[in-house]
Amino acid sequence: MLDLLGRPLRDLRISVTDRCNLRCTYCMPAEVFGPDYAFLPRAELLSFEEIERLARAFVSLGVRKLRITGGEPTLRRDLPTLIAALAAIPDVEDVAMTTNGLLLPRVAADLRAAGLKRVTVSIDSLDPEVFGRMNGLGTHPQKVMDGIEAALTAGLGVKVNTVVQRGVNDAGLRELWLALRELAPVRFIEFMDVGNHNGWNLDSVVPSREVLARLGGEAGAGHFQPVRADYRGEVASRYADPTGREVGLISSVTAPFCGDCSRARISAVGVLYTCLFASGGTDLRAALRGGASDAALRDLIAGVWAGRNDRYSEERGEATAALRPKVEMSHIGG
Ligand code: SAM
């Protein structure tokens, strides 16, 4: 299964809810997602059975890694039941989840027991004031740290994601890395122009090479040695300090990796997107609820992938690309 640019289908990201218990200014700003915001009614969301059926179709087409996301996936009731169903699909090599970590103290052990292997926990600053402002609700970073501890105690692999915004959290990057590097590898992500509400502009992006220089302190970027990628399509460029502790840099803006992108994404209502920056997608829920057979579902997905030619991050600089409306991050899940 190759798309028009020769890219295989290997990873599937599944959003299980559009709700979140944070209001990060760059993702679900409180002015837009306020108390009156109409989140999706339950019946609109894919059921666990529908998600499993889709996952099986994707796996039959080459997907090997599944990642659960949202919104905030831990808000979806009975999530371990879904994880267990996905982990039991033959040929699935990895089931992971991206989370803000707040509910992990409650759910990490059950998720691990159900077959979840890894979590990526998002935290943008350890400074209570900065983090509280960025998450839109004043939530203290210690709550996320408690979630990281709970995940580690439950035996989950943990990585940390930090989105870097110039003038917002870039002053505390070295402090964050020094505090977290004993616990988990940190990946610093260049702030992206996903969605239509986060006020993105190029000046708010701190290029990864500048992040590395800041992490190195006095020694600058020279403090680090590059680490060879483990597999084709690995999105983070990894570097190690002289003691071998690693940091990852995801240069989605300054060094786009569209050429290696093997990811498909399904929103909580079952729309298939072939790019994080897509304007539209394919309604798989309509097919599911319209009685499509397994073979018909598979053909539908295969047809979409075969026609895929998205490479938005490489086209970002072009006027027409920048003007296109984009799907919201809370809808598609990152
Ligand atoms: N709620 C979960 C979480 O916080 O990880 C999962 C969903 S969240 C949309 C997934 C990831 O996307 C988070 O690590 C978040 O920081 C990242 N993200 C959201 N908006 C972003 C943006 N504009 N640029 C870069 N990363 C972004």
Side-chain angles (χ1 to χ4, degrees), residues 13 26 67 97-99 119-125 131 144 148 158-164 169 176 180 184-189 235-236 248 250 329 333-334:
R13 301 195 157 206
Y26 56 80
R67 177 172 292 274
M97 178 174 79
T98 304
T99 172
V119 286
T120 300
V121 180
S122 310
I123 182 165
D124 299 327
S125 177
F131 186 60
V144 183
I148 292 174
V158 178
K159 283 183 192 159
V160 169
N161 267 1
T162 299
V163 176
V164 183
N169 65 337
L176 184 137
L180 277 163
V186 182
R187 293 127 42 98
F188 292 94
I189 306 176
V235 297
I250 302 184
M329 190 69 146

mmCIF file of all heavy atoms in Angstrom, residues 13 26 67 97-99 119-125 131 144 148 158-164 169 176 180 184-189 235-236 248 250 329 333-334:
data_model
loop_
_atom_site.group_PDB
_atom_site.id
_atom_site.type_symbol
_atom_site.label_atom_id
_atom_site.label_comp_id
_atom_site.label_asym_id
_atom_site.label_seq_id
_atom_site.Cartn_x
_atom_site.Cartn_y
_atom_site.Cartn_z
ATOM 1 N N ARG A 13 -3.564 7.051 13.932
ATOM 2 C CA ARG A 13 -3.878 7.807 15.149
ATOM 3 C C ARG A 13 -5.383 7.905 15.267
ATOM 4 O O ARG A 13 -6.050 8.319 14.311
ATOM 5 C CB ARG A 13 -3.294 9.208 15.056
ATOM 6 C CG ARG A 13 -1.817 9.106 14.877
ATOM 7 C CD ARG A 13 -1.120 10.398 15.128
ATOM 8 N NE ARG A 13 0.233 10.053 15.455
ATOM 9 C CZ ARG A 13 1.053 10.766 16.180
ATOM 10 N NH1 ARG A 13 0.652 11.919 16.645
ATOM 11 N NH2 ARG A 13 2.266 10.347 16.439
ATOM 12 N N TYR A 26 -2.764 27.387 22.476
ATOM 13 C CA TYR A 26 -2.356 27.121 21.094
ATOM 14 C C TYR A 26 -3.166 25.999 20.457
ATOM 15 O O TYR A 26 -2.925 25.632 19.302
ATOM 16 C CB TYR A 26 -0.855 26.775 21.033
ATOM 17 C CG TYR A 26 -0.466 25.613 21.913
ATOM 18 C CD1 TYR A 26 -0.689 24.311 21.510
ATOM 19 C CD2 TYR A 26 0.119 25.825 23.162
ATOM 20 C CE1 TYR A 26 -0.353 23.242 22.312
ATOM 21 C CE2 TYR A 26 0.460 24.758 23.982
ATOM 22 C CZ TYR A 26 0.226 23.478 23.551
ATOM 23 O OH TYR A 26 0.555 22.415 24.354
ATOM 24 N N ARG A 67 -2.075 4.717 17.807
ATOM 25 C CA ARG A 67 -1.931 5.711 18.875
ATOM 26 C C ARG A 67 -3.290 6.322 19.173
ATOM 27 O O ARG A 67 -3.985 6.777 18.257
ATOM 28 C CB ARG A 67 -0.933 6.811 18.470
ATOM 29 C CG ARG A 67 -0.811 7.916 19.528
ATOM 30 C CD ARG A 67 0.304 8.887 19.198
ATOM 31 N NE ARG A 67 1.602 8.268 19.299
ATOM 32 C CZ ARG A 67 2.317 8.169 20.426
ATOM 33 N NH1 ARG A 67 1.850 8.656 21.552
ATOM 34 N NH2 ARG A 67 3.496 7.581 20.421
ATOM 35 N N MET A 97 -0.453 6.077 23.503
ATOM 36 C CA MET A 97 -1.466 7.116 23.727
ATOM 37 C C MET A 97 -0.764 8.453 23.977
ATOM 38 O O MET A 97 0.285 8.503 24.611
ATOM 39 C CB MET A 97 -2.307 6.734 24.953
ATOM 40 C CG MET A 97 -3.365 7.761 25.334
ATOM 41 S SD MET A 97 -4.432 7.168 26.691
ATOM 42 C CE MET A 97 -3.370 7.467 28.091
ATOM 43 N N THR A 98 -1.358 9.519 23.479
ATOM 44 C CA THR A 98 -0.875 10.867 23.786
ATOM 45 C C THR A 98 -1.866 11.491 24.759
ATOM 46 O O THR A 98 -3.077 11.453 24.520
ATOM 47 C CB THR A 98 -0.790 11.728 22.507
ATOM 48 O OG1 THR A 98 0.036 11.039 21.563
ATOM 49 C CG2 THR A 98 -0.163 13.072 22.788
ATOM 50 N N THR A 99 -1.365 12.054 25.869
ATOM 51 C CA THR A 99 -2.237 12.523 26.941
ATOM 52 C C THR A 99 -1.619 13.723 27.646
ATOM 53 O O THR A 99 -0.396 13.893 27.619
ATOM 54 C CB THR A 99 -2.462 11.387 27.970
ATOM 55 O OG1 THR A 99 -3.159 11.900 29.110
ATOM 56 C CG2 THR A 99 -1.162 10.763 28.447
ATOM 57 N N VAL A 119 3.068 5.877 26.757
ATOM 58 C CA VAL A 119 2.336 7.135 26.711
ATOM 59 C C VAL A 119 3.304 8.260 26.357
ATOM 60 O O VAL A 119 4.477 8.228 26.739
ATOM 61 C CB VAL A 119 1.641 7.508 28.054
ATOM 62 C CG1 VAL A 119 0.414 6.654 28.293
ATOM 63 C CG2 VAL A 119 2.589 7.426 29.234
ATOM 64 N N THR A 120 2.792 9.228 25.622
ATOM 65 C CA THR A 120 3.501 10.477 25.431
ATOM 66 C C THR A 120 2.718 11.503 26.233
ATOM 67 O O THR A 120 1.519 11.673 26.028
ATOM 68 C CB THR A 120 3.528 10.872 23.943
ATOM 69 O OG1 THR A 120 4.195 9.829 23.230
ATOM 70 C CG2 THR A 120 4.284 12.169 23.739
ATOM 71 N N VAL A 121 3.398 12.135 27.184
ATOM 72 C CA VAL A 121 2.724 13.089 28.064
ATOM 73 C C VAL A 121 3.151 14.502 27.663
ATOM 74 O O VAL A 121 4.341 14.776 27.493
ATOM 75 C CB VAL A 121 3.085 12.825 29.543
ATOM 76 C CG1 VAL A 121 2.369 13.816 30.456
ATOM 77 C CG2 VAL A 121 2.722 11.392 29.937
ATOM 78 N N SER A 122 2.164 15.384 27.519
ATOM 79 C CA SER A 122 2.465 16.750 27.087
ATOM 80 C C SER A 122 2.613 17.661 28.297
ATOM 81 O O SER A 122 1.747 17.683 29.173
ATOM 82 C CB SER A 122 1.315 17.285 26.223
ATOM 83 O OG SER A 122 1.008 16.355 25.211
ATOM 84 N N ILE A 123 3.722 18.385 28.357
ATOM 85 C CA ILE A 123 3.874 19.420 29.388
ATOM 86 C C ILE A 123 4.774 20.507 28.804
ATOM 87 O O ILE A 123 5.831 20.210 28.252
ATOM 88 C CB ILE A 123 4.427 18.865 30.722
ATOM 89 C CG1 ILE A 123 4.517 19.984 31.774
ATOM 90 C CG2 ILE A 123 5.743 18.151 30.579
ATOM 91 C CD1 ILE A 123 4.712 19.493 33.200
ATOM 92 N N ASP A 124 4.350 21.736 28.889
ATOM 93 C CA ASP A 124 5.055 22.805 28.186
ATOM 94 C C ASP A 124 5.948 23.656 29.082
ATOM 95 O O ASP A 124 6.794 24.404 28.580
ATOM 96 C CB ASP A 124 4.040 23.707 27.461
ATOM 97 C CG ASP A 124 3.242 22.917 26.427
ATOM 98 O OD1 ASP A 124 3.819 21.988 25.838
ATOM 99 O OD2 ASP A 124 2.051 23.213 26.235
ATOM 100 N N SER A 125 5.752 23.563 30.395
ATOM 101 C CA SER A 125 6.613 24.335 31.302
ATOM 102 C C SER A 125 6.479 23.772 32.707
ATOM 103 O O SER A 125 5.424 23.229 33.066
ATOM 104 C CB SER A 125 6.195 25.810 31.298
ATOM 105 O OG SER A 125 6.974 26.528 32.227
ATOM 106 N N PHE A 131 2.957 27.644 32.886
ATOM 107 C CA PHE A 131 2.132 26.489 32.501
ATOM 108 C C PHE A 131 0.651 26.798 32.703
ATOM 109 O O PHE A 131 -0.182 26.484 31.851
ATOM 110 C CB PHE A 131 2.549 25.246 33.303
ATOM 111 C CG PHE A 131 1.834 23.996 32.855
ATOM 112 C CD1 PHE A 131 1.962 23.532 31.554
ATOM 113 C CD2 PHE A 131 1.019 23.286 33.728
ATOM 114 C CE1 PHE A 131 1.286 22.386 31.135
ATOM 115 C CE2 PHE A 131 0.349 22.136 33.320
ATOM 116 C CZ PHE A 131 0.490 21.693 32.020
ATOM 117 N N VAL A 144 0.743 17.186 36.286
ATOM 118 C CA VAL A 144 1.244 16.402 35.149
ATOM 119 C C VAL A 144 2.411 15.519 35.615
ATOM 120 O O VAL A 144 2.511 14.344 35.222
ATOM 121 C CB VAL A 144 1.689 17.323 33.995
ATOM 122 C CG1 VAL A 144 2.144 16.502 32.807
ATOM 123 C CG2 VAL A 144 0.567 18.275 33.607
ATOM 124 N N ILE A 148 3.025 11.513 35.195
ATOM 125 C CA ILE A 148 4.232 10.861 34.649
ATOM 126 C C ILE A 148 4.710 9.779 35.627
ATOM 127 O O ILE A 148 5.011 8.645 35.240
ATOM 128 C CB ILE A 148 5.335 11.911 34.373
ATOM 129 C CG1 ILE A 148 4.894 12.825 33.224
ATOM 130 C CG2 ILE A 148 6.672 11.240 34.081
ATOM 131 C CD1 ILE A 148 5.819 14.003 32.947
ATOM 132 N N VAL A 158 7.434 6.046 28.838
ATOM 133 C CA VAL A 158 6.993 7.445 28.856
ATOM 134 C C VAL A 158 7.937 8.307 28.025
ATOM 135 O O VAL A 158 9.159 8.185 28.129
ATOM 136 C CB VAL A 158 6.949 8.005 30.308
ATOM 137 C CG1 VAL A 158 6.542 9.478 30.304
ATOM 138 C CG2 VAL A 158 5.996 7.204 31.182
ATOM 139 N N LYS A 159 7.328 9.146 27.185
ATOM 140 C CA LYS A 159 8.051 10.236 26.531
ATOM 141 C C LYS A 159 7.313 11.512 26.873
ATOM 142 O O LYS A 159 6.111 11.466 27.171
ATOM 143 C CB LYS A 159 8.060 10.075 25.019
ATOM 144 C CG LYS A 159 9.034 9.056 24.522
ATOM 145 C CD LYS A 159 9.015 9.030 23.007
ATOM 146 C CE LYS A 159 9.767 7.812 22.507
ATOM 147 N NZ LYS A 159 9.374 7.471 21.145
ATOM 148 N N VAL A 160 8.005 12.625 26.789
ATOM 149 C CA VAL A 160 7.371 13.909 27.102
ATOM 150 C C VAL A 160 7.397 14.776 25.849
ATOM 151 O O VAL A 160 8.407 14.801 25.130
ATOM 152 C CB VAL A 160 8.126 14.600 28.265
ATOM 153 C CG1 VAL A 160 7.663 16.036 28.437
ATOM 154 C CG2 VAL A 160 7.934 13.817 29.559
ATOM 155 N N ASN A 161 6.282 15.459 25.584
ATOM 156 C CA ASN A 161 6.192 16.417 24.463
ATOM 157 C C ASN A 161 6.118 17.827 25.011
ATOM 158 O O ASN A 161 5.291 18.107 25.880
ATOM 159 C CB ASN A 161 4.864 16.213 23.713
ATOM 160 C CG ASN A 161 4.977 15.271 22.543
ATOM 161 O OD1 ASN A 161 6.045 14.730 22.276
ATOM 162 N ND2 ASN A 161 3.874 15.073 21.849
ATOM 163 N N THR A 162 6.928 18.712 24.481
ATOM 164 C CA THR A 162 6.870 20.119 24.885
ATOM 165 C C THR A 162 6.785 20.980 23.633
ATOM 166 O O THR A 162 7.694 20.946 22.795
ATOM 167 C CB THR A 162 8.123 20.498 25.701
ATOM 168 O OG1 THR A 162 8.155 19.694 26.865
ATOM 169 C CG2 THR A 162 8.112 21.967 26.089
ATOM 170 N N VAL A 163 5.695 21.714 23.491
ATOM 171 C CA VAL A 163 5.557 22.637 22.361
ATOM 172 C C VAL A 163 6.243 23.947 22.750
ATOM 173 O O VAL A 163 6.012 24.462 23.843
ATOM 174 C CB VAL A 163 4.064 22.916 22.064
ATOM 175 C CG1 VAL A 163 3.927 23.950 20.955
ATOM 176 C CG2 VAL A 163 3.365 21.630 21.669
ATOM 177 N N VAL A 164 7.083 24.459 21.871
ATOM 178 C CA VAL A 164 7.856 25.657 22.201
ATOM 179 C C VAL A 164 7.293 26.869 21.463
ATOM 180 O O VAL A 164 7.180 26.861 20.232
ATOM 181 C CB VAL A 164 9.342 25.464 21.820
ATOM 182 C CG1 VAL A 164 10.152 26.685 22.246
ATOM 183 C CG2 VAL A 164 9.901 24.198 22.443
ATOM 184 N N ASN A 169 7.117 30.155 26.512
ATOM 185 C CA ASN A 169 7.742 29.183 27.419
ATOM 186 C C ASN A 169 9.198 28.905 27.074
ATOM 187 O O ASN A 169 9.808 28.017 27.649
ATOM 188 C CB ASN A 169 6.959 27.860 27.416
ATOM 189 C CG ASN A 169 6.998 27.152 26.067
ATOM 190 O OD1 ASN A 169 7.227 27.780 25.037
ATOM 191 N ND2 ASN A 169 6.762 25.858 26.071
ATOM 192 N N LEU A 176 13.365 22.703 32.223
ATOM 193 C CA LEU A 176 12.440 21.584 32.035
ATOM 194 C C LEU A 176 13.211 20.314 31.670
ATOM 195 O O LEU A 176 12.985 19.240 32.229
ATOM 196 C CB LEU A 176 11.420 21.936 30.943
ATOM 197 C CG LEU A 176 10.324 20.907 30.684
ATOM 198 C CD1 LEU A 176 8.972 21.600 30.526
ATOM 199 C CD2 LEU A 176 10.587 20.113 29.428
ATOM 200 N N LEU A 180 13.478 16.818 33.839
ATOM 201 C CA LEU A 180 12.757 15.641 33.337
ATOM 202 C C LEU A 180 13.652 14.555 32.759
ATOM 203 O O LEU A 180 13.232 13.406 32.636
ATOM 204 C CB LEU A 180 11.749 16.066 32.270
ATOM 205 C CG LEU A 180 10.429 16.559 32.860
ATOM 206 C CD1 LEU A 180 9.646 17.339 31.820
ATOM 207 C CD2 LEU A 180 9.596 15.393 33.357
ATOM 208 N N ALA A 184 12.326 10.706 31.723
ATOM 209 C CA ALA A 184 11.816 10.351 30.394
ATOM 210 C C ALA A 184 12.481 11.224 29.343
ATOM 211 O O ALA A 184 12.841 12.367 29.627
ATOM 212 C CB ALA A 184 10.306 10.587 30.355
ATOM 213 N N PRO A 185 12.617 10.686 28.109
ATOM 214 C CA PRO A 185 13.131 11.540 27.031
ATOM 215 C C PRO A 185 12.128 12.658 26.721
ATOM 216 O O PRO A 185 10.928 12.403 26.653
ATOM 217 C CB PRO A 185 13.260 10.612 25.828
ATOM 218 C CG PRO A 185 12.903 9.253 26.289
ATOM 219 C CD PRO A 185 12.317 9.327 27.665
ATOM 220 N N VAL A 186 12.644 13.871 26.561
ATOM 221 C CA VAL A 186 11.780 15.006 26.234
ATOM 222 C C VAL A 186 11.926 15.303 24.748
ATOM 223 O O VAL A 186 13.042 15.256 24.212
ATOM 224 C CB VAL A 186 12.181 16.265 27.037
ATOM 225 C CG1 VAL A 186 11.236 17.425 26.724
ATOM 226 C CG2 VAL A 186 12.195 15.981 28.528
ATOM 227 N N ARG A 187 10.816 15.593 24.067
ATOM 228 C CA ARG A 187 10.847 15.994 22.663
ATOM 229 C C ARG A 187 10.285 17.403 22.564
ATOM 230 O O ARG A 187 9.143 17.643 22.979
ATOM 231 C CB ARG A 187 10.048 15.027 21.811
ATOM 232 C CG ARG A 187 10.671 13.621 21.736
ATOM 233 C CD ARG A 187 9.739 12.539 22.108
ATOM 234 N NE ARG A 187 8.442 12.755 21.547
ATOM 235 C CZ ARG A 187 8.005 12.178 20.419
ATOM 236 N NH1 ARG A 187 8.764 11.342 19.755
ATOM 237 N NH2 ARG A 187 6.807 12.409 19.983
ATOM 238 N N PHE A 188 11.085 18.292 22.057
ATOM 239 C CA PHE A 188 10.640 19.674 21.893
ATOM 240 C C PHE A 188 10.079 19.835 20.478
ATOM 241 O O PHE A 188 10.735 19.496 19.492
ATOM 242 C CB PHE A 188 11.804 20.634 22.131
ATOM 243 C CG PHE A 188 12.252 20.631 23.569
ATOM 244 C CD1 PHE A 188 13.292 19.811 23.993
ATOM 245 C CD2 PHE A 188 11.614 21.416 24.514
ATOM 246 C CE1 PHE A 188 13.687 19.778 25.327
ATOM 247 C CE2 PHE A 188 11.995 21.400 25.850
ATOM 248 C CZ PHE A 188 13.034 20.574 26.248
ATOM 249 N N ILE A 189 8.844 20.354 20.408
ATOM 250 C CA ILE A 189 8.137 20.444 19.124
ATOM 251 C C ILE A 189 8.038 21.897 18.687
ATOM 252 O O ILE A 189 7.614 22.755 19.478
ATOM 253 C CB ILE A 189 6.695 19.889 19.265
ATOM 254 C CG1 ILE A 189 6.720 18.471 19.833
ATOM 255 C CG2 ILE A 189 5.967 19.926 17.939
ATOM 256 C CD1 ILE A 189 5.333 17.901 20.094
ATOM 257 N N VAL A 235 10.119 10.774 13.637
ATOM 258 C CA VAL A 235 9.917 12.215 13.423
ATOM 259 C C VAL A 235 10.861 13.072 14.237
ATOM 260 O O VAL A 235 11.178 14.194 13.856
ATOM 261 C CB VAL A 235 8.462 12.656 13.681
ATOM 262 C CG1 VAL A 235 7.517 12.004 12.714
ATOM 263 C CG2 VAL A 235 8.028 12.410 15.110
ATOM 264 N N ALA A 236 11.321 12.560 15.388
ATOM 265 C CA ALA A 236 12.215 13.377 16.212
ATOM 266 C C ALA A 236 13.662 13.124 15.800
ATOM 267 O O ALA A 236 14.071 11.985 15.602
ATOM 268 C CB ALA A 236 12.023 13.029 17.684
ATOM 269 N N GLY A 248 14.863 14.945 22.125
ATOM 270 C CA GLY A 248 14.361 14.854 20.754
ATOM 271 C C GLY A 248 13.888 16.212 20.269
ATOM 272 O O GLY A 248 13.381 17.014 21.051
ATOM 273 N N ILE A 250 11.526 17.964 17.266
ATOM 274 C CA ILE A 250 10.579 17.727 16.178
ATOM 275 C C ILE A 250 10.437 19.036 15.411
ATOM 276 O O ILE A 250 9.796 19.984 15.862
ATOM 277 C CB ILE A 250 9.232 17.200 16.724
ATOM 278 C CG1 ILE A 250 9.488 15.900 17.508
ATOM 279 C CG2 ILE A 250 8.248 16.976 15.585
ATOM 280 C CD1 ILE A 250 8.255 15.189 18.030
ATOM 281 N N MET A 329 -6.872 20.913 15.766
ATOM 282 C CA MET A 329 -6.039 19.906 16.431
ATOM 283 C C MET A 329 -6.866 19.074 17.412
ATOM 284 O O MET A 329 -6.663 17.869 17.549
ATOM 285 C CB MET A 329 -4.921 20.627 17.172
ATOM 286 C CG MET A 329 -3.850 19.730 17.698
ATOM 287 S SD MET A 329 -2.880 19.018 16.368
ATOM 288 C CE MET A 329 -1.275 18.944 17.131
ATOM 289 N N GLY A 333 -6.311 15.387 16.769
ATOM 290 C CA GLY A 333 -5.534 14.748 17.831
ATOM 291 C C GLY A 333 -4.023 14.829 17.769
ATOM 292 O O GLY A 333 -3.347 14.278 18.616
ATOM 293 N N GLY A 334 -3.441 15.477 16.784
ATOM 294 C CA GLY A 334 -1.984 15.671 16.786
ATOM 295 C C GLY A 334 -1.217 14.424 16.373
ATOM 296 O O GLY A 334 -1.775 13.411 16.032
#
